[in-house]
Amino acid sequence: MTSELSQVEDVLWAACDTLLWFHTNPWELDEALVGAGFLVGPLEVQDHVGLLYVLKRRNAYRSPVLPRMVAEGRIGKIGGVGFYRYPGGGGAVIDPLMEDLILEEAHFAKVTRTPMSDAEIVHSVLTPVSVFLREKATDPIAVARQLQINVDDLTDLLAQTAS
């Protein structure tokens, strides 16, 4: 199960990377997913895990956002700043400099960003996760619970992606 959990985290985090690159900012992405049933947003989770570790595991990310963050010392909560700021080691605080960083990298790469609704964000994250779980996980619902994903939404998506 641990291997499956790591693999589905990689799928989840890659989907988030794509959304940051083409559509949204960290707090909007996390807010949409928390609103859909995640206990903690995936980007805040990455901050807690440590962005050096996340970057090391990186295999399917498309954007230069995470490498630039790490190069600038944004290594997550342990360093006081990642996708969010953690003043005094406390809870996550929105960091508008992250939006600037993402927009700047997109501009340099000539990426056209288009806004997405919360529902589109949730669907864009849960679809590749549900496909992975359906095709590769021995117990998709147990893995989803460990990731703290809303099982009802995921069950619906598993059924949709199977057809």
Side-chain angles (χ1 to χ4, degrees), residues 9-63:
E9 274 179 338
D10 289 340
V11 170
L12 172 69
W13 293 349
C16 290
D17 181 69
T18 299
L19 287 171
L20 284 178
W21 190 226
F22 291 103
H23 303 288
T24 191
N25 63 48
W27 50 94
E28 289 172 346
L29 190 149
D30 277 356
E31 184 177 294
L33 293 171
V34 168
F38 280 64
L39 190 58
V40 179
L43 300 176
E44 187 174 350
V45 168
Q46 288 181 50
D47 274 353
H48 286 273
V49 168
L51 298 181
L52 287 168
Y53 175 74
V54 174
L55 183 60
K56 189 177 189 181
R57 277 181 49 181
R58 180 182 182 149
N59 56 14
Y61 293 63
R62 307 173 97 192
S63 81

Side-chain angles (χ1 to χ4, degrees), residues 6 16-17 26 29 40 56-57 60 91 103 117-119 132-134 142 153 160:
S6 293
C16 290
D17 181 69
L29 190 149
V40 179
K56 189 177 189 181
R57 277 181 49 181
L103 291 174
S117 69
D118 286 358
F132 176 87
L133 289 172
R134 184 177 48 79
D153 289 347
Q160 290 172 18

Side-chain angles (χ1 to χ4, degrees), residues 9-157:
E9 274 179 338
D10 289 340
V11 170
L12 172 69
W13 293 349
C16 290
D17 181 69
T18 299
L19 287 171
L20 284 178
W21 190 226
F22 291 103
H23 303 288
T24 191
N25 63 48
W27 50 94
E28 289 172 346
L29 190 149
D30 277 356
E31 184 177 294
L33 293 171
V34 168
F38 280 64
L39 190 58
V40 179
L43 300 176
E44 187 174 350
V45 168
Q46 288 181 50
D47 274 353
H48 286 273
V49 168
L51 298 181
L52 287 168
Y53 175 74
V54 174
L55 183 60
K56 189 177 189 181
R57 277 181 49 181
R58 180 182 182 149
N59 56 14
Y61 293 63
R62 307 173 97 192
S63 81
V65 172
L66 185 60
R68 177 168 168 194
M69 288 173 62
V70 170
E72 291 182 357
R74 292 177 163 273
I75 60 171
K77 184 173 182 181
I78 195 165
V81 66
F83 288 104
Y84 298 93
R85 289 184 292 117
Y86 298 88
V93 175
I94 290 173
D95 184 355
L97 294 176
M98 268 309 302
E99 186 172 29
D100 292 344
L101 183 151
I102 293 166
L103 291 174
E104 184 176 275
E105 286 297 328
H107 173 76
F108 289 143
K110 298 185 182 348
V111 168
T112 302
R113 291 174 47 88
T114 54
M116 291 178 92
S117 69
D118 286 358
E120 291 170 317
I121 289 170
V122 171
H123 185 76
S124 294
V125 169
L126 288 185
T127 297
V129 168
S130 64
V131 167
F132 176 87
L133 289 172
R134 184 177 48 79
E135 293 176 356
K136 301 202 174 162
T138 54
D139 187 350
I141 300 303
V143 174
R145 284 195 175 111
Q146 282 195 328
L147 285 172
Q148 302 169 338
I149 296 173
N150 183 317
V151 176
D152 294 335
D153 289 347
L154 187 62
T155 303
D156 292 344
L157 272 170

